[in-house]
Amino acid sequence: MKKTVSFDKALILLLITAALILTSCGGGGGGGSGNVSVFGSSGWGYTDLFNNHTWEYTNGAYKTTIACNNSKLTIKNFLNGVEQSGTATAPYELKDAKDMGKSGKIKCSCINNGAETEFTFNKLISPETVTFTLNGASITFTKQ
């Protein structure tokens, strides 16, 4: 009987430790990144690596920025440094997160006409780039 109680306590401690590790991955050193840990449909946590960051893509005179803050995404387009009309802000949702949030799908009316778009960050802790895959084409944004 005591072995069962010890096993139950060990399992509970293991689950608590795993939950703490999963929810702390986004913050950490250097003042923290402000990322938010959330729970997916599986119940296991992942980190929203988009949150509290601005991502930029530049191609010659054309630039697009994606700013994410508290589950809202704002996309702006610039031509020769001048903001163009069409700035949009909308809530976003992360789906099918893998590798604790390093890859998955993002759904937002501002991106890909609201269709789910695959994303991959270059690393889990303090990512520097995120790559979106749209209809077979990849576009990489850099963290600002």
Side-chain angles (χ1 to χ4, degrees):
M1 197 78 159
K2 288 183 181 179
K3 289 182 181 178
T4 303
V5 172
S6 295
F7 178 75
D8 289 344
K9 286 181 181 177
L11 182 59
I12 290 170
L13 287 173
L14 179 64
L15 290 174
I16 290 171
T17 302
L20 289 173
I21 290 170
L22 290 173
T23 58
S24 66
C25 286
S33 65
N35 293 328
V36 177
S37 293
V38 293
F39 289 90
S41 59
S42 68
W44 292 101
Y46 59 90
T47 301
D48 179 352
L49 297 172
F50 288 99
N51 193 47
N52 289 336
H53 297 296
T54 298
W55 306 89
E56 181 180 293
Y57 168 76
T58 303
N59 184 359
Y62 179 78
K63 177 173 82 171
T64 300
T65 62
I66 297 174
C68 300
N69 190 3
N70 297 324
S71 297
K72 288 193 178 181
L73 182 146
T74 301
I75 190 164
K76 294 180 181 182
N77 293 301
F78 299 85
L79 181 60
N80 292 320
V82 177
E83 184 177 342
Q84 303 298 296
S85 63
T87 294
T89 299
Y92 68 91
E93 179 181 2
L94 301 180
K95 296 182 167 198
D96 301 329
K98 296 177 186 104
D99 301 323
M100 295 177 56
K102 185 178 171 192
S103 63
K105 295 178 182 175
I106 186 169
K107 184 173 181 166
C108 181
S109 62
C110 300
I111 299 174
N112 199 16
N113 295 320
E116 291 181 1
T117 304
E118 293 181 18
F119 68 84
T120 304
F121 288 93
N122 68 322
K123 55 186 180 173
L124 181 61
I125 306 298
S126 298
E128 296 147 355
T129 62
V130 60
T131 300
F132 294 98
T133 303
L134 311 163
N135 302 321
S138 296
I139 301 172
T140 300
F141 284 72
T142 304
K143 184 166 71 171
Q144 297 305 297

